[in-house]
Amino acid sequence: MQGAKTSSTSMTNSLKLSQFGSDPILDPSLYRGHLKRILGYLVGSLDHGIHLTKCSSFAVQAFCEADWASDPDDRRSTSGYCVLLDSNLVAWKSKKQQTISRSSTEVEFHNLAALVTDITWL
């Protein structure tokens, strides 16, 4: 894969993977095509990293987001958050929730509670 075409993402945003409802793919070249995209992403992101700077203040910022019922098989939500100290990323998490939420508000509250727990610990 020397000189491979780079990609800004490892997968397409619209792709929803499911365990059910599809026939096995008999042509292995389709799998290789997906693998090429992942390798292209890795080639294009070799210089990515977490940049740390000296803190001028100890201001804590946090951001959280949840995708309600995003898994097509079990309807569980995916949630994530990040915590910044000044402009430095110090904590992050992305996780499929263990329970099924009844609304997008409920999943956001679960995510926010996990975020507040981590901020309190920090």
Side-chain angles (χ1 to χ4, degrees):
M1 293 295 297
Q2 291 283 24
K5 181 180 174 185
T6 62
S7 175
S8 60
T9 60
S10 59
M11 288 178 51
T12 59
N13 294 343
S14 61
L15 184 63
K16 290 282 187 183
L17 300 176
S18 176
Q19 297 179 26
F20 309 104
S22 60
D23 296 326
I25 297 175
L26 301 175
D27 184 9
S29 66
L30 296 173
Y31 289 112
R32 283 187 230 123
H34 181 63
L35 182 60
K36 281 184 180 180
R37 184 179 177 104
I38 294 171
L39 291 174
Y41 171 72
L42 292 174
V43 166
S45 63
L46 290 175
D47 59 344
H48 290 191
I50 298 175
H51 184 69
L52 300 175
T53 59
K54 184 177 178 181
C55 290
S56 59
S57 68
F58 287 99
V60 176
Q61 292 183 7
F63 302 93
C64 64
E65 182 60 49
D67 189 2
W68 179 50
S70 57
D71 189 311
D73 295 329
D74 61 11
R75 307 304 295 163
R76 291 187 189 167
S77 305
T78 302
S79 58
Y81 59 82
C82 65
V83 180
L84 298 125
L85 181 60
D86 203 11
S87 63
N88 299 309
L89 182 64
V90 294
W92 65 92
K93 186 175 189 177
S94 177
K95 185 178 180 181
K96 183 175 169 181
Q97 292 191 346
Q98 294 182 5
T99 59
I100 299 172
S101 298
R102 295 182 200 143
S103 68
S104 60
T105 304
E106 183 181 353
V107 72
E108 292 285 354
F109 278 128
H110 283 289
N111 194 22
L112 190 57
L115 173 60
V116 170
T117 301
D118 268 11
I119 290 174
T120 304
W121 182 84
L122 289 171

